[in-house]
Amino acid sequence: MTARRPVPPRARGRAVAVIGLGYVGLPLACLAAEKGFTVTGFDVDRRKISKLAAGRIPFDDPRLARWYRKVSMRVTANPADLAGCGTFVICVPTPVNQRSHPDLGPVLAATETVGRFAPKGSLVILESTVNPGVCEEVVAPALERLGRRVGPDLSLAHCPERINPGDKRWTVRNIPRVLGALDANGLKRAAAFYRKILEAEVKPMASIRAAEAVKIVENAFRDVNIAFVNELARSFDQLGIDVLEVIEGAKTKPFAFLAHYPSCGVGGHCIPVDPYYLIERAKLSGFDHRFLRLARETNDAMPGYTVDLLVRALRQRRRSLRGAKIGVLGVAYKASIDDVRESPAFKILHRLKEFGATPVVYDPFVPEHSTVGSLAELLKKASALLLVTDHAPFRRLSPARVKANGIDVVVDGKNALNAGAFRRAHITYQGIGR
Ligand code: SAJ
């Protein structure tokens, strides 16, 4: 990674700007740089840029950190540095606000930055996950307000990101992608760009709306399927059926069944967020996605349900949450990463405090949200455990070690532990649906 001079106009075809250097943008920037493009990475977060300029990445991903150190790119927080580029890829977050409504602020800000500096003839690609209609109804008008008409002045395409944080098998390099554009030239140019950097299929869609819809559909599909097994788990808790055993049984059917697993909640910046982008846009067209809304309600209720399971488990021991020190294992929204966005841990911690309990929190990937510095310290202080994130050290937790610390109640929010072994050790074990 070295600093670079501004790119001369003739080299614009090979000069790519990546706007937003997070989980999505940084791997893409590394891949484009590796494949010979002149890459300028831009981010509004100056702290992130100074870390990157010093050769370090701003989140916990050792493989990406090594890759970043091997490639050459310029990183900057100065939008004027984008002037020499010819392709602009926007990879900024698309969160929801407190009312679960889409927040396109980051997309609009990034679009305006690009619109101010993209030379005539540029290709602009939005990778951020958005609902159908955003490119035509939000991004293109924002560019046109800056005197950049889509078609005559620049091309606009959408290639939804498919990064799966922590996944070592499927990476930015080999995940197939879909692509849509507002103009035929844009589709051709964007397809050429991705076919130069990816080692995977690039599937052009008939419209940019179809490309926007694909990503939302993928993630809403996952949210709905998780809600399905979460509802089963709550039903089977009453029926004394182990939902995991039933899912493993259903998996023996070699077709038409795709396993999902119940848990204490659905976190992350994709699954619990993306469906709201479609729900809210469809409302404007007079359609109510009742099913998607019900799935969201079902999954959003899981953190509370998990704490209710803990209340029930303690009651079996004639104890209550009030004044209890509860060991909360994990804060990250999924195993082996440090990302806490939309993590169910926060609702769980809030509810534990509402019940008068004192959470003792430990997440080896998220020290800033931990209240103790080690698993050993947590086990010493806690009288009961609530597993929220199935990080490997927690999966390896043995009944003997738990019992040796005087803990006799365990609620397993990810069904990550061996239920039989804990029960045979006379520990009150409660999973989600088992
Ligand atoms: N979860 C469940 N049950 C499941 C699967 C997940 O409760 O069966 C929970 C997880 O614990 C987590 C949340 O849902 O809190 C999201 O988990 P995730 O595995 O879907 O992880 P994400 O959010 O990183 O999702 C990404 C998405 N990738 C993109 O958006 C590009 C998603 O589309 C992928 O399906 C997912 O990775 C994946 O397959 O791992």
Side-chain angles (χ1 to χ4, degrees), residues 129 161-165 167 215 218-219 222 226 229-230 259-272 274 333-334 337 344 390 414:
T129 303
E161 60 92 3
R162 281 180 164 166
I163 291 291
N164 180 24
D167 192 331
K215 175 66 185 296
E218 287 165 8
N219 286 357
R222 193 161 173 81
I226 295 168
V229 290
N230 280 335
H260 286 73
Y261 297 92
S263 82
C264 60
V266 174
H269 57 295
C270 302
I271 308 306
D274 297 348
Y333 80 81
K334 72 176 183 180
I337 64 171
D390 50 335
K414 289 289 185 210

Side-chain angles (χ1 to χ4, degrees), residues 217-389:
V217 164
E218 287 165 8
N219 286 357
F221 170 87
R222 193 161 173 81
D223 198 45
V224 160
N225 278 279
I226 295 168
F228 169 57
V229 290
N230 280 335
E231 180 173 280
L232 287 180
R234 297 183 69 149
S235 164
F236 290 3
D237 271 338
Q238 306 299 326
L239 293 170
I241 301 171
D242 181 335
V243 72
L244 283 201
E245 190 192 10
V246 172
I247 291 168
E248 292 314 302
K251 278 168 66 176
T252 59
K253 180 179 171 186
F255 48 83
F257 180 78
L258 179 62
H260 286 73
Y261 297 92
S263 82
C264 60
V266 174
H269 57 295
C270 302
I271 308 306
V273 168
D274 297 348
Y276 287 119
Y277 273 73
L278 178 56
I279 290 165
E280 291 307 316
R281 178 59 187 80
K283 258 187 214 167
L284 300 179
S285 311
F287 184 82
D288 177 14
H289 274 284
R290 289 166 50 231
F291 189 50
L292 297 189
R293 286 191 297 109
L294 178 61
R296 288 280 70 243
E297 278 164 40
T298 304
N299 289 335
D300 277 354
M302 292 312 286
Y305 177 69
T306 302
V307 174
D308 293 346
L309 289 175
L310 178 60
V311 170
R312 277 173 22 200
L314 287 169
R315 197 176 294 139
Q316 286 175 30
R317 300 246 175 196
R318 303 199 190 302
R319 297 201 316 257
S320 85
L321 268 177
R322 184 156 300 287
K325 283 197 168 59
I326 305 299
V328 175
L329 301 175
V331 178
Y333 80 81
K334 72 176 183 180
S336 312
I337 64 171
D338 61 357
D339 193 343
V340 298
R341 285 177 288 183
E342 308 288 330
S343 172
F346 298 118
K347 281 188 182 166
I348 287 170
L349 289 168
H350 178 73
R351 196 164 168 96
L352 286 174
K353 290 172 191 160
E354 275 182 336
F355 273 101
T358 304
V360 181
V361 185
Y362 176 61
D363 186 318
F365 291 83
V366 193
E368 64 276 21
H369 286 288
S370 300
T371 60
V372 290
S374 71
L375 178 56
E377 200 182 338
L378 178 144
L379 293 171
K380 269 204 205 89
K381 289 188 171 176
S383 59
L385 295 184
L386 201 171
L387 187 146
V388 173
T389 315

